[in-house]
Amino acid sequence: MKHIDKQLLDDVSRQAQKSDRLRMNYNFHQSLDEKCHRFLNAVEPGTKVEIHRHPTKDESFVLLRGRVRVNTYNDDGSVDESVVLCPEEGLYGVDIPKNIWHNVESLESGSVFFECKEGPFVPHEVERLLHLSDKG
């Protein structure tokens, strides 16, 4: 059994702070081929999570600490919904259905969320990751 405790969150956050991407995953699944991917995602202010969608996969985020903004978008690039997750304020997470454009923005250092989505891992290029700014 793996414990999700303050020490683990601190360790993953420190790795995110040192990362060029300003984020770091800690996987609970043993292989990228597994049917269910469960992981921590530590995100720091300034990390860039591109607007993307997963054509065949639902995705759930539960914020364990910190503050993050989750945005969903319409096909024309306009914001459909924007929510700030903050456990201290009673807003813990979101479930994003497949094929919905979305991104995440860290609003506070040390923010960590638990993420769950269907596997196996498919590189974004294969999933037809599209940037709304590229649509014409």
Side-chain angles (χ1 to χ4, degrees), residues 2-94:
K2 294 183 181 179
H3 295 197
I4 301 171
D5 58 15
K6 182 179 183 313
Q7 183 64 51
L8 178 58
L9 300 186
D10 288 347
D11 289 346
V12 178
S13 289
R14 271 192 295 278
Q15 292 174 36
Q17 290 165 358
K18 294 177 183 176
S19 167
D20 291 340
R21 296 173 59 210
L22 295 174
R23 62 182 163 173
M24 184 60 61
N25 287 359
Y26 178 91
N27 294 345
F28 294 102
H29 51 281
Q30 299 299 307
S31 163
L32 294 179
D33 293 326
E34 286 189 27
K35 291 183 179 182
C36 182
H37 287 198
R38 301 139 359 256
F39 54 97
L40 299 178
N41 199 339
V43 292
E44 290 295 309
T47 189
K48 186 165 184 158
V49 179
E50 298 288 348
I51 299 169
H52 65 284
R53 63 181 172 184
H54 306 282
T56 62
K57 299 177 184 187
D58 298 332
E59 188 170 22
S60 296
F61 302 136
V62 177
L63 189 63
L64 302 176
R65 73 174 182 196
R67 290 173 59 88
V68 299
R69 181 185 319 279
V70 180
N71 300 304
T72 60
Y73 299 86
N74 298 305
D75 284 340
D76 65 4
S78 61
V79 174
D80 178 50
E81 188 173 358
S82 181
V83 62
V84 174
L85 303 180
C86 179
E88 289 78 21
E89 296 175 10
L91 193 46
Y92 304 101
V94 294

